[in-house]
Amino acid sequence: MRPLYWMRWMSVQGAPRLALKAYARRGDPLAQLFGDPATTHDPYPLLESIRARGRLVGGPFARMTVEHDLCRSILRDNAMGVRAAESFDIPRPLRGLTTLAPLPPNPMEPPSMLVIDPPEHTRMRRSVSAAFTPRAIGRLHARVESVTEELLDALPANGSADLVADFAAQVPIAIISEMLGFPHSAKDRFLGWGDAISPLLDIGIPWPSYRSAVAAIAEMDAYADEHLAKLRRSPGEDILSSLITAGELDDNDLKATASLLMGAGFETTVNLIGNAIVQLLDHPDQLAKLREDPELWPNAVEEVLRFDAPVQNTGRVALREVEYEGIRMPKGTTIVLSLAGANRDPKVFAAPDRFDITRDNAKDHLTFSSGIHACLGASLARMEAVHALRALFDRFPDLQLDGLPQRRPLFTLHGYSHMRANLGRRHAEHTTPV
Ligand code: HEM
């Protein structure tokens, strides 16, 4: 089995990896964005150099834009679609290799709604959207609050913690697990699988990472089979039980949806909470404003989403010939959309490199994408982040980082893997919801 997966890796990741490295050495900015580990720490100077080159720049595999209006138009254009990142511009003979070593249902391949176009996309998204409306998410406030308080209570009495592992990752995984009916005991396994699978959102990942992702997908699939069988025997109040009862999705659809919701539900929000902690501690004047006026918390979360986007890029593929910026592009052309670059577009955001929690158009960021694939979990992510951050800074008013936080070595997902902190003095009282 392993040689087939190696060949599959070679065709979809290994060959692009070699090309990316070569182009990155020649100074190609698009290749550097996915091929140079330094950009995982601070991608913004590179994004500005791409902006300086033009509105729609060409690269070895794809075109790319960092312009806000162009990203938004492309995301909302029904001539542009999505398909599994793995099939981007792979030469035809190599593409055949992917069918020799198929993967079980997973977030990055059809029928996951993230990578399918209408009409299938419409059907898959409609099946779960009721669970994510602002009103439905509003009903989870109290639960998010109590999970947050329990986690803060459990932080070590000696005042030193890893704020990613002990807090930022724990809030979203607890909530999405409950929403999908997964037992609390599976949390650590999901964290491990999420870590292993997330690199698949990037281009040109190394073989050991690909091998770990494939192993994690297989394990998760076996676990999902057991879980779905259990819910069929005794359905609960969760999203998967209602999908089973509704009977519209087959097993593959159910597993792709479960793995997408699970992964998207925590792999992104952990980064939002972590990035926010770092920005707020780096900008004590902004934190002071929040202490004075807690009503500013929701806008502060929008500004973090804009300023240091937890998801940096997405892509679209031309479903037919299209024309942008006077450039005609044939069907199949891939355009990489830098959401993080769009969020720093000076034509939309005044002084875009300034972190300002009172910015009145912070919410115009594209971090949750736009158009038919716009993030289904945006209300949930916002609510979790506002609660978690406000409660953390209320409970530990003297919180300080202990050394430099470590970035995750990923290009698309952008956040921290470790963040040691001294918690300092502890306030006992609970936070009033915003
Ligand atoms: C800060 C947190 C989050 C960020 C930055 C984020 C970002 C995104 C982005 C950029 C997309 C669209 C990608 C594209 O257009 O190609 C997306 C889609 C999606 N997100 Fe989120 N997300 C977050 C949290 C969540 C949460 C908590 C959930 C809930 C389970 C979730 C579920 C989804 C789903 C299901 C899709 C696919 C929608 C579709 O294809 O129609 N996300 N997200």
Side-chain angles (χ1 to χ4, degrees), residues 16 18-32 59-61:
L18 290 174
L20 278 176
K21 278 190 184 301
Y23 279 98
R25 270 197 303 274
R26 281 186 232 159
D28 181 279
L30 204 157
Q32 279 171 344
F61 301 104

Side-chain angles (χ1 to χ4, degrees), residues 20 24 49 53 58 79 83 106 108 138 158 192 197 201 215 221-222 224 319 331 338 355 400 414:
L20 278 176
S49 77
R53 284 194 176 202
R83 59 180 162 146
N106 66 77
M108 268 62 119
N158 68 6
I197 296 171
L201 285 169
D221 186 59
L319 300 176
K331 178 179 171 184
S338 169
F355 178 67
Q400 291 293 334
H414 182 67

Side-chain angles (χ1 to χ4, degrees), residues 96-146:
L97 286 175
T98 62
T99 55
L100 288 177
L103 294 176
N106 66 77
M108 268 62 119
E109 287 182 326
S112 159
M113 78 178 90
L114 189 62
V115 288
I116 55 176
D117 295 318
E120 292 81 12
H121 173 263
T122 319
R123 179 180 70 92
M124 290 289 276
R125 181 157 171 138
R126 200 174 36 213
S127 68
V128 287
S129 48
F132 291 94
T133 59
R135 182 193 285 245
I137 296 308
R139 289 196 285 271
L140 295 173
H141 267 223
R143 186 64 195 131
V144 171
E145 225 191 335
S146 66

Side-chain angles (χ1 to χ4, degrees), residues 91-341:
R92 209 169 280 281
L94 291 177
R95 214 176 289 168
L97 286 175
T98 62
T99 55
L100 288 177
L103 294 176
N106 66 77
M108 268 62 119
E109 287 182 326
S112 159
M113 78 178 90
L114 189 62
V115 288
I116 55 176
D117 295 318
E120 292 81 12
H121 173 263
T122 319
R123 179 180 70 92
M124 290 289 276
R125 181 157 171 138
R126 200 174 36 213
S127 68
V128 287
S129 48
F132 291 94
T133 59
R135 182 193 285 245
I137 296 308
R139 289 196 285 271
L140 295 173
H141 267 223
R143 186 64 195 131
V144 171
E145 225 191 335
S146 66
V147 164
T148 304
E149 294 301 334
E150 277 164 34
L151 287 164
L152 292 175
D153 289 343
L155 288 180
N158 68 6
S160 166
D162 181 336
L163 289 180
V164 174
D166 300 336
F167 185 66
Q170 300 294 336
V171 177
I173 193 140
I175 300 300
I176 193 68
S177 296
E178 286 182 16
M179 290 175 77
L180 296 172
F182 287 113
H184 214 241
S185 55
K187 204 170 54 111
D188 287 341
R189 257 181 286 177
F190 273 112
L191 284 170
W193 292 331
D195 248 9
I197 296 171
S198 307
L200 289 183
L201 285 169
D202 289 338
I203 307 171
I205 67 171
W207 164 239
S209 305
Y210 193 77
R211 190 180 50 202
S212 306
V214 168
I217 287 172
E219 283 175 34
M220 202 169 65
D221 186 59
Y223 182 82
D225 277 332
E226 277 175 37
H227 181 63
L228 292 176
K230 209 161 67 193
L231 295 183
R232 278 201 177 91
R233 285 193 302 274
S234 60
E237 300 281 290
D238 55 276
I239 297 174
L240 292 179
S241 292
S242 9
L243 288 176
I244 292 172
T245 312
E248 280 172 19
L249 303 187
D250 68 19
D251 250 35
N252 277 354
D253 292 347
L254 279 171
K255 288 196 278 184
T257 301
S259 64
L260 173 65
L261 292 177
M262 197 64 202
F266 71 87
E267 278 295 335
T268 49
T269 312
V270 54
N271 298 339
L272 170 58
I273 298 173
N275 293 353
I277 295 172
V278 171
Q279 290 310 326
L280 291 170
L281 291 175
D282 269 1
H283 297 89
D285 57 323
Q286 303 291 307
L287 190 54
K289 286 186 191 172
L290 286 163
R291 294 200 198 286
E292 237 167 70
D293 181 4
E295 301 270 312
L296 289 171
W297 270 111
N299 205 60
V301 165
E302 297 304 326
E303 179 65 349
V304 175
L305 284 160
R306 181 196 75 83
F307 187 81
D308 204 20
V311 176
Q312 296 257 308
N313 316 292
T314 187
R316 290 293 183 268
V317 181
L319 300 176
R320 48 181 185 263
E321 190 187 74
V322 291
E323 185 176 328
Y324 280 105
E325 301 300 308
I327 306 169
R328 262 176 207 280
M329 287 164 278
K331 178 179 171 184
T333 303
T334 298
I335 306 184
V336 174
L337 307 168
S338 169
L339 306 175

